[in-house]
Amino acid sequence: MKGVLATLAPEARVVDISHEVPPQDVLRAGLVWRASVPYFPRGSIHVAVVDPGVGGRRRIAAFEARGSLFLAPDNGLIGYLFPARAIRRAVHVSRREFFLETVSATFHGRDIFAPVAARLARGLPLEALGPALESYEREALPRPRRRRVELGGKRYLEESGCIIYVDRFGNAATNLIPARCFRLRELRLGGRRFTRLGRTYADGKPGEPVLLVGSTGHLEVAVNRGSAATTMGLKLGDGVLALWARK
Amino acid sequence: MKGVLATLAPEARVVDISHEVPPQDVLRAGLVWRASVPYFPRGSIHVAVVDPGVGGRRRIAAFEARGSLFLAPDNGLIGYLFPARAIRRAVHVSRREFFLETVSATFHGRDIFAPVAARLARGLPLEALGPALESYEREALPRPRRRRVELGGKRYLEESGCIIYVDRFGNAATNLIPARCFRLRELRLGGRRFTRLGRTYADGKPGEPVLLVGSTGHLEVAVNRGSAATTMGLKLGDGVLALWARK
Amino acid sequence: MKGVLATLAPEARVVDISHEVPPQDVLRAGLVWRASVPYFPRGSIHVAVVDPGVGGRRRIAAFEARGSLFLAPDNGLIGYLFPARAIRRAVHVSRREFFLETVSATFHGRDIFAPVAARLARGLPLEALGPALESYEREALPRPRRRRVELGGKRYLEESGCIIYVDRFGNAATNLIPARCFRLRELRLGGRRFTRLGRTYADGKPGEPVLLVGSTGHLEVAVNRGSAATTMGLKLGDGVLALWARK
């Protein structure tokens, strides 16, 4: 891909976001995109090639949103980044004259994504890539379920969610995002009960799990100078139950 | 190496091809080079430092081929890229005035390859680096053995080869490259028999091995949304036997 | 971090030194910095975010030394690079107007280090970042213990140290650095006794451990075309005992 970009758009600045997304893990790729895209300048061209369906019938899509362009398989990735209303244009990337001359069945990153990104970098308008997409996949994070509960005469919001991400430090992120108007009463996860929201990893004693709001805005559990995943035996998909009181 | 390049050729654009070649694995490095070099612009300077013999008696070589330059230990790497006739010039990199002032015995990448690449990027002609190399190592991919066989009164070409590469997705590539004028009758590998050539990874049911032509042109076996290496218990060097019928 | 740099200092050239430092391993980060910083041009801005104390009370420091700038947590990292006298200026990075508007408690790399590095790249003077630091952490490599011993009527210098680094090739580096005026008599490590200093990895027979001076100047043990750590069962912190004779 770098070779194709250097050939077709030698003046473009190429930044690697991550090569550590496990093969075919769309959720993980979506979270990485979510965590990085907002920090790049407007006018960037973001390319994601996480593509369990390569060579199959899945389409390649290009989007315009918030002044930047996005190129990705039509597999729901874009749904992790933006609500539908933020997407100004969506096209089906299908005009073969912008691909490499020979398109392999197995490596569209090199043969389609890279040359198309290079043309966009050189000013080709999005519409030239193919017809408008009328609908596209909008997979997104699993949403927590919510219900109102009464405990000891008081009313609470109960949220049940799950662990959606374990990073290389062993921090485990949930799909729960604290709302401004609620205060945490308790959170149960991996056999433990948290009643306090820490502010930083260093808030816990070494070896002790801390619950906090991670850099993506999600509730996560970490162990100061250790791995929460190992210490608490956590893994992707584990359930979490939170009780919120209205402030 | 990046520091030396930034110091001696600050205007050069540096692209990392791979840091994932296992230590001293010349075959793997050759395949990575084969898969990437053709996609870079003419005039590129390609540097490979996979060097079991560092500090020993192996020489460092520089080559010109197809309008680009190549810098590598004289350990046969170049043989994976080009036939001998494509190589226009070959020199023994030996003029110490183009190296760093102090050359360690263990890190020639930093002390020799990087400064020499930087000088080439700034326009130093290849010949300045040292005398012409009259002969050099030309290790290459292991070649499949071929013989004609007769089965049920029909004639076939039988090829016996091996697995030369297992990538991080668990796809296993062989040293067999389909010729235009032959049609696959069967291929035996890891206790399985394939009679059909798939076109894409998605051609198989999930969990089911598919035989196809990979992005490097070699026959490879993959498992849709899984790892062929794990599912079929494949590893480097495993034998493969193919039977081809003339079209 | 790359996104913030691309936004605030689009003309800056960004070079990744390493993403392979294990979480919170200040010693490893120090060795990587030590091995790479001297090869970068004067005027570089070096950023290290290895930060067990993120969000806690540790400060962020900026240093000027040998014509370059250094940005790091005040956790002793700088002590691996320079003696105190080489550091011309040290400031406490505390002026929030140079940070991102929202500073998370967990990802200072993105919210503080990257924007501050970008401002420095655009010419902001070091002093603008905050008040001078009067003292700062100066952790450094564990120092070997030395004593004079007499053996068979001769005098030797005995050094006892430890393994401080095992690289991905399985080479194990010690904290011993040979002095010009001494000659090695013997070195004991992992149940073996070395009496000779090899010059290169290739000096040993395949599979045979070699003792040599590595690219950072430290004594290290390597196995030609193999892993010393595996062959000899070595790990971080293992003791090493050397006997030196005055030349």
Side-chain angles (χ1 to χ4, degrees):
Chain A
M1 292 183 66
K2 300 260 178 85
V4 172
L5 292 169
T7 303
L8 297 179
E11 72 298 327
R13 178 180 188 164
V14 181
V15 176
D16 293 0
I17 300 292
S18 174
H19 295 282
E20 290 169 33
V21 173
Q24 310 170 351
D25 188 340
V26 174
L27 165 60
R28 183 78 69 107
L31 289 169
V32 168
W33 232 9
R34 235 173 117 94
S36 54
V37 161
Y39 293 90
F40 277 85
R42 283 171 72 91
S44 294
I45 299 160
H46 295 272
V47 180
V49 194
V50 174
D51 203 0
V54 62
R57 279 191 315 210
R58 72 91 189 85
R59 301 173 299 183
I60 297 175
F63 303 96
E64 186 197 325
R66 304 211 176 128
S68 290
L69 301 179
F70 301 85
L71 206 54
D74 180 20
N75 60 12
L77 249 186
I78 198 76
Y80 294 95
L81 271 187
F82 300 116
R85 69 178 181 281
I87 295 176
R88 300 283 300 271
R89 282 183 298 175
V91 309
H92 176 196
V93 175
S94 51
R95 297 267 302 273
R96 297 183 64 95
E97 70 254 49
F98 302 122
F99 303 172
L100 290 198
E101 231 171 286
T102 308
V103 172
S104 70
T106 52
F107 192 3
H108 287 179
R110 178 192 66 195
D111 302 335
I112 302 182
F113 288 83
V116 166
R119 318 291 185 190
L120 292 173
R122 306 217 62 184
L124 188 78
L126 205 70
E127 294 82 357
L129 299 174
L133 265 180
E134 316 230 318
S135 72
Y136 47 88
E137 290 284 327
R138 290 200 46 80
E139 196 179 329
L141 289 176
R143 291 233 220 130
R145 275 177 306 123
R146 294 189 178 117
R147 59 174 192 142
R148 304 198 171 276
V149 296
E150 228 182 273
L151 281 174
K154 286 192 182 161
R155 292 173 155 213
Y156 297 100
L157 176 68
E158 187 192 85
E159 270 191 323
S160 80
C162 61
I163 294 202
I164 52 169
Y165 187 76
V166 176
D167 70 18
R168 68 183 188 105
F169 299 92
N171 303 334
T174 72
N175 59 343
L176 306 187
I177 298 177
R180 270 170 211 277
C181 48
F182 285 96
R183 186 172 42 77
L184 186 72
R185 183 166 185 269
E186 65 163 50
L187 180 141
R188 289 176 182 276
L189 173 64
R192 290 209 179 222
R193 181 170 169 265
F194 298 86
T195 55
R196 216 173 67 78
L197 215 50
R199 210 181 58 85
T200 80
Y201 298 131
D203 276 357
K205 300 179 202 137
E208 196 60 34
V210 186
L211 180 72
L212 44 70
V213 179
S215 56
T216 57
H218 293 247
L219 275 185
E220 69 179 52
V221 63
V223 161
N224 190 10
R225 311 203 181 201
S227 158
T230 308
T231 307
M232 299 178 57
L234 301 176
K235 57 181 200 313
L236 219 68
D238 282 0
V240 54
L241 197 71
L243 220 53
W244 303 92
R246 189 167 282 277
K247 277 182 186 166
Chain B
M1 292 183 67
K2 301 259 178 86
V4 172
L5 293 169
T7 302
L8 298 179
E11 72 298 327
R13 177 181 189 162
V14 181
V15 176
D16 294 359
I17 299 294
S18 175
H19 295 282
E20 289 170 32
V21 173
Q24 312 169 350
D25 188 340
V26 174
L27 165 61
R28 182 80 67 107
L31 290 168
V32 168
W33 233 11
R34 234 173 117 93
S36 54
V37 161
Y39 292 90
F40 278 84
R42 282 171 74 90
S44 295
I45 299 160
H46 295 272
V47 179
V49 194
V50 174
D51 203 1
V54 62
R57 279 190 317 210
R58 72 93 188 82
R59 300 174 299 183
I60 297 175
F63 303 96
E64 186 197 324
R66 303 210 178 127
S68 290
L69 302 178
F70 300 85
L71 205 55
D74 180 20
N75 60 13
L77 250 185
I78 197 76
Y80 294 96
L81 270 187
F82 299 116
R85 68 178 181 281
I87 295 177
R88 301 283 300 271
R89 282 182 298 174
V91 308
H92 175 197
V93 176
S94 51
R95 296 268 301 275
R96 297 182 64 96
E97 71 253 48
F98 303 121
F99 303 172
L100 290 197
E101 232 171 285
T102 308
V103 172
S104 70
T106 52
F107 193 4
H108 287 179
R110 178 192 66 195
D111 302 335
I112 302 181
F113 287 83
V116 165
R119 318 288 187 192
L120 292 173
R122 305 217 63 182
L124 188 78
L126 205 68
E127 294 82 357
L129 299 174
L133 265 180
E134 316 229 320
S135 73
Y136 47 88
E137 292 284 326
R138 289 199 46 79
E139 197 179 326
L141 288 176
R143 290 233 221 130
R145 276 178 308 121
R146 293 191 177 113
R147 58 173 194 145
R148 304 200 169 275
V149 297
E150 228 184 271
L151 281 174
K154 285 193 182 161
R155 292 172 154 214
Y156 297 99
L157 175 69
E158 186 193 84
E159 269 190 323
S160 81
C162 62
I163 294 202
I164 52 169
Y165 187 77
V166 177
D167 70 17
R168 68 183 188 104
F169 299 92
N171 302 335
T174 73
N175 59 344
L176 307 186
I177 298 178
R180 269 170 211 279
C181 49
F182 286 96
R183 186 171 42 76
L184 185 73
R185 183 165 185 269
E186 66 163 46
L187 179 142
R188 289 176 183 277
L189 173 65
R192 290 209 179 222
R193 180 169 169 267
F194 298 86
T195 55
R196 215 173 67 79
L197 216 50
R199 210 182 57 86
T200 80
Y201 298 131
D203 275 357
K205 301 179 202 134
E208 196 59 36
V210 185
L211 180 72
L212 44 72
V213 179
S215 56
T216 57
H218 292 248
L219 276 185
E220 69 178 52
V221 62
V223 161
N224 190 10
R225 310 201 180 202
S227 158
T230 308
T231 307
M232 298 178 58
L234 300 176
K235 57 181 199 313
L236 219 68
D238 282 0
V240 54
L241 197 70
L243 221 52
W244 303 93
R246 190 166 281 278
K247 275 180 189 169
Chain C
M1 292 183 67
K2 301 260 178 84
V4 172
L5 292 169
T7 303
L8 297 179
E11 73 297 327
R13 178 182 188 162
V14 181
V15 176
D16 293 359
I17 300 292
S18 174
H19 295 282
E20 289 170 33
V21 173
Q24 311 170 351
D25 189 340
V26 174
L27 166 60
R28 183 77 68 107
L31 289 168
V32 168
W33 232 10
R34 232 172 119 94
S36 54
V37 161
Y39 293 90
F40 278 84
R42 282 171 72 90
S44 295
I45 299 161
H46 296 272
V47 180
V49 194
V50 174
D51 203 0
V54 63
R57 279 189 316 209
R58 74 89 189 84
R59 301 172 300 183
I60 297 175
F63 303 97
E64 186 196 324
R66 304 212 175 126
S68 290
L69 302 178
F70 301 85
L71 206 53
D74 179 19
N75 60 12
L77 249 186
I78 198 76
Y80 294 96
L81 271 187
F82 299 117
R85 68 178 181 282
I87 295 176
R88 300 283 299 272
R89 282 183 298 175
V91 308
H92 176 197
V93 176
S94 50
R95 296 267 301 275
R96 297 183 63 96
E97 70 253 48
F98 302 122
F99 303 172
L100 290 198
E101 232 171 286
T102 308
V103 172
S104 70
T106 51
F107 193 3
H108 287 179
R110 178 192 66 197
D111 302 335
I112 302 181
F113 287 84
V116 165
R119 318 291 186 190
L120 292 173
R122 305 216 63 182
L124 188 77
L126 204 70
E127 293 82 358
L129 298 174
L133 264 181
E134 316 230 321
S135 73
Y136 47 87
E137 290 284 327
R138 289 199 46 78
E139 197 179 327
L141 289 177
R143 291 233 221 130
R145 276 178 306 123
R146 293 190 177 115
R147 58 174 194 144
R148 304 197 172 278
V149 296
E150 229 183 271
L151 281 174
K154 285 193 181 158
R155 292 174 154 212
Y156 296 99
L157 175 69
E158 186 193 85
E159 270 191 323
S160 81
C162 61
I163 295 201
I164 53 169
Y165 187 77
V166 176
D167 72 16
R168 67 183 190 105
F169 299 92
N171 303 335
T174 72
N175 58 343
L176 306 186
I177 299 179
R180 267 169 212 279
C181 49
F182 286 96
R183 187 173 42 77
L184 186 73
R185 184 168 185 267
E186 66 163 49
L187 180 140
R188 288 175 184 276
L189 173 65
R192 290 209 180 223
R193 181 169 168 266
F194 298 87
T195 55
R196 216 175 66 77
L197 215 51
R199 211 182 57 85
T200 78
Y201 298 130
D203 275 358
K205 300 179 201 135
E208 195 60 36
V210 185
L211 181 71
L212 45 72
V213 179
S215 56
T216 57
H218 292 248
L219 276 185
E220 68 178 55
V221 62
V223 161
N224 189 9
R225 308 201 183 202
S227 159
T230 307
T231 307
M232 298 178 58
L234 301 177
K235 60 183 195 314
L236 219 68
D238 281 1
V240 53
L241 198 71
L243 220 53
W244 304 93
R246 190 167 281 276
K247 275 182 188 166

